[in-house]
Amino acid sequence: MHMVNGKALYKLCVQAFNKRQLSGRRDTVWRERLAVQEECKPVWRVLYKAPLNKRSGELQWRFLQGALAVNCFISKINPTVSTDCPFCQKPETIDHCFLD
Ligand SMILES: [Zn+2]
């Protein structure tokens, strides 16, 4: 009999429960923005290599994944929060915070 450990079972459950939402979805938003081919896979571990500290690596990973609490995101969860940037009143997106 084949035994499945807890971590593998959890991964299978996450994939099964989210199969419909994940089908057809890109593995990273950067594939289209940077015109990266399918055979080129993201290598996230380079974000954590020295001399970077773990905190800087985490911030870079969150930026590249679009997982930062900017006002455009927070306002969807909490409608009392404005989408505006506190400095210029344009919508506060991740791109606006770090690129504009
Ligand atoms: Zn601004």
Side-chain angles (χ1 to χ4, degrees):
M1 185 174 151
H2 182 71
M3 297 293 288
V4 176
N5 68 26
K7 191 174 181 179
L9 181 60
Y10 176 79
K11 188 176 176 183
L12 289 171
C13 287
V14 168
Q15 287 174 342
F17 291 141
N18 298 292
K19 187 174 182 173
R20 196 179 319 152
Q21 290 170 313
L22 295 174
S23 70
R25 185 172 170 173
R26 294 288 187 164
D27 56 346
T28 172
V29 296
W30 300 100
R31 192 167 297 289
E32 288 170 13
R33 289 189 190 174
L34 302 176
V36 177
Q37 300 299 313
E38 286 293 330
E39 58 272 9
C40 184
K41 298 289 181 195
V43 183
W44 303 115
R45 69 177 175 274
V46 297
L47 300 175
Y48 297 96
K49 290 209 170 182
L52 280 176
N53 62 37
K54 189 172 192 282
R55 191 173 174 161
S56 297
E58 286 288 332
L59 178 64
Q60 289 186 92
W61 185 88
R62 289 170 59 101
F63 169 73
L64 292 170
Q65 296 290 329
L68 289 168
V70 292
N71 283 347
C72 278
F73 174 72
I74 295 170
S75 68
K76 290 182 180 173
I77 297 169
N78 182 355
T80 64
V81 173
S82 166
T83 60
D84 293 352
C85 168
F87 301 103
C88 69
Q89 281 68 52
K90 289 182 180 173
E92 189 190 68
T93 61
I94 292 173
D95 287 355
H96 180 74
C97 284
F98 290 92
L99 303 175
D100 293 344

